[in-house]
Amino acid sequence: MSGQASSAGPVLPVAVDAMGGDKAPKEIVAGALRAAEEGFAVVLVGHPDRMGDTGGLPVIAASEVIEMDEDAGRGVRTKKDASLLRAAEAVRDGKASSMVSAGNTGATMASALFRMGRIRGVSRPAIATPIPVLGSIPTVLIDAGANAECTAGWLVQFAQMGSAFATQRFGIAKPRVGLLSIGEEESKGSPLVKEAHALLAAGEAGPDVNFVGNVEGRDVMSDRIDVVVTDGFTGNVVLKTLEGSMNFAMSAVLGAFGTNEDTRRAGEVLLPVLLPMATELDPETYGGAVLLGVDGICVISHGSSSSTAIHNAVKVAAAAVSEDLVGRLASAVAA
Amino acid sequence: MSGQASSAGPVLPVAVDAMGGDKAPKEIVAGALRAAEEGFAVVLVGHPDRMGDTGGLPVIAASEVIEMDEDAGRGVRTKKDASLLRAAEAVRDGKASSMVSAGNTGATMASALFRMGRIRGVSRPAIATPIPVLGSIPTVLIDAGANAECTAGWLVQFAQMGSAFATQRFGIAKPRVGLLSIGEEESKGSPLVKEAHALLAAGEAGPDVNFVGNVEGRDVMSDRIDVVVTDGFTGNVVLKTLEGSMNFAMSAVLGAFGTNEDTRRAGEVLLPVLLPMATELDPETYGGAVLLGVDGICVISHGSSSSTAIHNAVKVAAAAVSEDLVGRLASAVAA
C-alpha cells in the first residue's frame, strides 16, 4: 500500500463504513459529507437502502452489518458481505486509500488484518490512540486494546510504530517514548514490563526510538511524554479509566453550576472558557485511533462518534496516506 | 491478632510511623496529635531526636528510616531498627493494635508481611484502596499494587477479601464485586482475567461474594460497582491514571477561573460548591489504603499525606481493629 499511497495519480477516496457506530448511519454519512465538502475524496460503504440520503457521495455496496456487540471473529467469518470487510477489501484492491469505522472494534481490526495483511516484519498490529493533553500535543497510547496478551518483543515494536506515528501525526521530531509501569525504576513492574524495559534500554528498538524509561499512569495526560507503550489489556483499561474520570469531572463541574441561581450565572460566565478546553479534551477532536501494523490505513473511531469525529477521522486517514504512514512504519520495524 | 483486637481490656494504640512520607515527620506527628486529641490511642514510631515536638505522645524508638525511594527489599533486610519494622513488630508483639505509614509502600508491605505474617489461608496480601465516587460510597480497588503478577486463584481471594473489607469499611451488606477487564463479555480480557472470571462465575469465592461479572475502567468511579478486582500491576496503573486525570481536571477548572476578572468572580461564587466536592474526591479524606491478608491491620497512606490524611488513617485503623477486620478476612478466605 505504501508505494501506491505516495505515488502520483488520482487521489483514492477514504472508505467510510456507513453502518458502524452507535449513531450510524446518520452521523457517519453526515461526517463523510462534511469531509467531502472540504475536498476530501470519500466513498461510503454500506447497504444503499439503509444509509439514508448520501448527498451524492459514491457508495460501495455491502448488504451485511457486523453489529456493535457481535462476536468479532464470528462476524468476519460469517458475514462476507459486511461493510467492514468490504471497506478493508477496497483498500486492499486499490479502490480506496484507507478506511474509517466507528463500528465493532474487534471486527474492524479483524477485517483490516485479514484483508490487508500485515506490514512485513510486524508481529502484531496495535491500536495507537491519541490521549488529549491540555495546552500540549496529545500523548500516543499504544497498544490501546488490540492485544490482550503481549510479548516483550511486541512491546519493542509498539515503541517503534508508536514513535513513527507520533512523528507523522503530530510532527514530533524525536518523540519521547515511555514504558508504562508502576514505578520509574527499571526494577518495578510485571515480568513482561521488566523484560521489555531491558530490551528497550539495550537499544533493541533502534536509534530512532528515544526511550526515556518507565512512566506511570499519571504521566499519560502530561506533557512529559509523547508515546506510552503498554500491552493491549492495560492500555484499554487506561483508556476507559480516563474516559470515565473525564466524564465524571465534567458532570461534577456542570452539577456545581446547577446548584443555585448564583452558580448558574457564574457557570454562564465560565462556559465560554471551559468549552474550548472541553473541545481540546474531547477524543472526537482527534478523530479516532489508528491500527498500526496492517498494510494499509485503518482509523478506528469511537463507537459514540458524531459527524465531527467522522469528519476528523477522514482527515486523519487522508493525512496518514499522503504522509506515507505505512512506509514509515515499515521502516521503523525494520530498524 | 484478630482475637486480641476484639477482646476486652485496655485499647492498644495505633502505631504511627512518624518518619515515613514526603511531609514526615511534621505533618505525620500533627495528624497523630489530632487523632489523640479526639481520644484515639496513638503511639509514634521513629527517632526521638528527629520527630520534633511530639506533644507528649508516647514514642517507640527506632533509629533508622527506610527512605521513600529506597529499594524496599534491601531496606527491610539491612535496617533492622527502621521505624516501619518497629511499627510492625509492635503490632506483632501486642504493643499496638495496628500500624499506619505514609512511607515507602514496598517497605511497608514487606515490614507488615515479614513481622505480622499472613492470615491463615491467604496466598498473597493485597492492597485495597477506596476510590472516591461523587455522591456515593467509594469503590474498593483491590489489588492496587502489592502483586505485579497474579494467579487467577489469588484474584478469587482478592474478591473475598475486598468484599469483606467493603462491608467492614463502608457498611455495604452485599458488595457488588466486579472483575476488571476490557469488555463485559466473559470472552474478553487476558488469559488471567478469563480464568479468574470462570472461577468467580463458578462460585469459587463462596456464597458471600456477590460477583456481578466483568467491569471496565470507566466503572471504577461509578456507583455501579462496590469492589473492583484486578492484579496489582493493572490496579496500580488505574490508581495513578485516576490521580493524574483528577489533578488534570482540577488544574483545568482552576485555570479557567483565572482567565479574566469576570471568570475570577464566577470562580469565587463556585468555589464554595466545588470545595466540598474536592474534599469528597480527595484520597486524603479516606485516610489511605489497607493491606489485606497480613495478620494485623496495616494502613498505607499516600506518600504526600498531610496531617488530615494521617488523622483519618488512624481512624480507619482503629475502626478496622474494633470491627475485627482481620477476623472477617480470615472467615472470608476460609469460605
Side-chain angles (χ1 to χ4, degrees), chain A residues 236-237 240-242 244, chain B residues 180-181 215-221 238:
Chain A
N236 194 262
V237 167
K240 300 271 176 69
T241 300
L242 284 175
Chain B
L180 188 60
S181 189
V215 296
E216 296 189 80
R218 65 168 74 93
D219 299 316
V220 177
M221 293 193 91
V238 164

Side-chain angles (χ1 to χ4, degrees), chain B residues 86-157:
Chain B
R86 293 300 183 211
E89 287 164 8
V91 178
R92 177 194 67 191
D93 299 340
K95 293 174 181 160
S97 69
S98 52
M99 67 183 281
V100 167
S101 180
N104 184 315
T105 300
T108 306
M109 292 190 292
S111 298
L113 182 58
F114 295 161
R115 293 299 185 264
M116 302 178 189
R118 276 174 287 170
I119 294 172
R120 185 187 298 270
V122 168
S123 299
R124 289 291 187 287
I127 297 176
T129 300
I131 306 291
V133 178
L134 205 59
S136 183
I137 293 167
T139 301
V140 172
L141 179 71
I142 179 169
D143 174 16
N147 307 282
E149 203 184 22
C150 289
T151 71
W154 301 357
L155 295 186
V156 172
Q157 283 201 338

Side-chain angles (χ1 to χ4, degrees), chain A residues 134 149 180 182 191 216-218 233 236-238 240-241 243 245-246 248 252 257 259 270 273-274 277 281, chain B residues 134 149 180 182 191 216-218 233 236-238 240-243 245-246 248 252 257 259 270 273 277 281:
Chain A
L134 206 59
E149 202 184 22
L180 188 60
I182 57 174
E216 297 188 81
R218 65 168 74 92
F233 182 85
N236 194 262
V237 167
V238 164
K240 300 271 176 69
T241 300
E243 206 176 287
S245 64
M246 285 297 119
F248 176 99
F257 288 175
T259 308
L270 285 163
V273 184
L274 287 171
M277 280 189 199
L281 296 180
Chain B
L134 205 59
E149 203 184 22
L180 188 60
I182 56 175
E216 296 189 80
R218 65 168 74 93
F233 182 85
N236 194 263
V237 167
V238 164
K240 300 270 177 70
T241 300
L242 283 175
E243 206 175 289
S245 63
M246 285 296 118
F248 176 99
F257 289 174
T259 308
L270 285 163
V273 183
M277 280 189 199
L281 295 180

